[in-house]
Amino acid sequence: ALFHDVGKTVCTKVVNDEITSPNHAIVGSEMVREYFWKSLELSGTKEYQNFRETICFLIKYHSNPVYIGMDKKERKVIKLSLIQELASDFTLNLLYIVSKADVLGRISNDAQYQLNCINEFKNISKTLDCYTKAFVFYNDITKFRYLNGKNIFYNDQLYDDSKSEVIM
């Protein structure tokens, strides 16, 4: 959580008398990745890589729960949960904690609304059973087609017709 807004140091500007920090999460995750890699040498082992990438994904997506909760988008929650396949310590539970701490740590007129959205994100994650683990699809073909925008439901049980038997 310490690094979650580090990107604001280079992204913050004043536009129409409002302070804004566009893309600070993406920039911040890149800054931290480089710092962890070069200065802290967290690059060599699988454990270092997992730690580094978990932190960077938490930074990159720390504001997503607010917006996902607003839209109640199961697809986005499922996609975020699958980050755990890349960084095994990443969970939506950790993302919820960082996002909630971010909202509680600043003065905002709509903080309660944002907290409600974050709680909705948590509820969606729990309903989909991916709050503490990656979402589990019925099979790989269902996962592939769902993630590639096909008009199917996440809990469909598609038949894998990509394989065939060849007799010679």
Side-chain angles (χ1 to χ4, degrees):
L2 177 65
F3 294 105
H4 82 280
D5 276 341
V6 71
K8 286 187 175 185
T9 59
V10 295
C11 293
T12 301
K13 51 185 149 183
V14 178
V15 177
N16 297 330
D17 293 328
E18 281 193 36
I19 299 173
T20 182
S21 304
N23 300 317
H24 80 278
I26 295 168
V27 171
S29 69
E30 292 168 0
M31 291 169 63
V32 169
R33 181 174 288 111
E34 183 176 346
Y35 174 70
F36 279 12
W37 187 290
K38 291 180 179 177
S39 299
L40 300 182
E41 298 180 4
L42 294 174
S43 57
T45 67
K46 189 80 170 162
E47 292 80 19
Y48 286 163
Q49 177 183 344
N50 182 53
F51 175 77
R52 182 188 70 238
E53 293 307 309
T54 296
I55 300 299
C56 290
F57 283 128
L58 289 170
I59 292 168
K60 184 175 183 176
Y61 297 108
H62 77 271
S63 61
N64 282 32
V66 172
Y67 302 108
I68 291 171
M70 285 179 189
D71 296 338
K72 300 180 182 175
K73 300 287 186 186
E74 286 88 0
R75 184 178 296 270
K76 290 180 182 179
V77 171
I78 289 170
K79 284 183 175 183
L80 278 175
S81 80
L82 296 176
I83 291 173
Q84 192 172 33
E85 294 177 358
L86 302 172
S88 62
D89 290 337
F90 178 91
T91 64
L92 298 185
N93 175 36
L94 288 176
L95 187 60
Y96 165 81
I97 291 168
V98 173
S99 186
K100 185 174 180 179
D102 185 39
V103 171
L104 291 173
R106 68 174 116 92
I107 298 169
S108 174
N109 293 335
D110 64 345
Q112 189 55 53
Y113 175 72
Q114 291 182 27
L115 289 172
N116 291 342
C117 292
I118 293 168
N119 284 327
E120 183 63 27
F121 166 81
K122 179 181 179 180
N123 292 336
I124 294 168
S125 303
K126 286 186 171 188
T127 300
L128 293 169
D129 195 26
C130 61
Y131 187 60
T132 58
K133 62 181 182 178
F135 183 82
V136 179
F137 287 90
Y138 175 73
N139 59 16
D140 288 337
I141 197 72
T142 304
K143 180 179 181 179
F144 176 79
R145 290 190 178 153
Y146 180 80
L147 294 175
N148 282 291
K150 301 298 180 197
N151 192 19
I152 64 169
F153 292 107
Y154 54 83
N155 58 355
D156 279 350
Q157 298 179 9
L158 299 182
Y159 174 72
D160 187 355
D161 61 356
S162 65
K163 298 175 187 169
S164 60
E165 181 179 348
V166 176
I167 300 173
M168 295 180 71

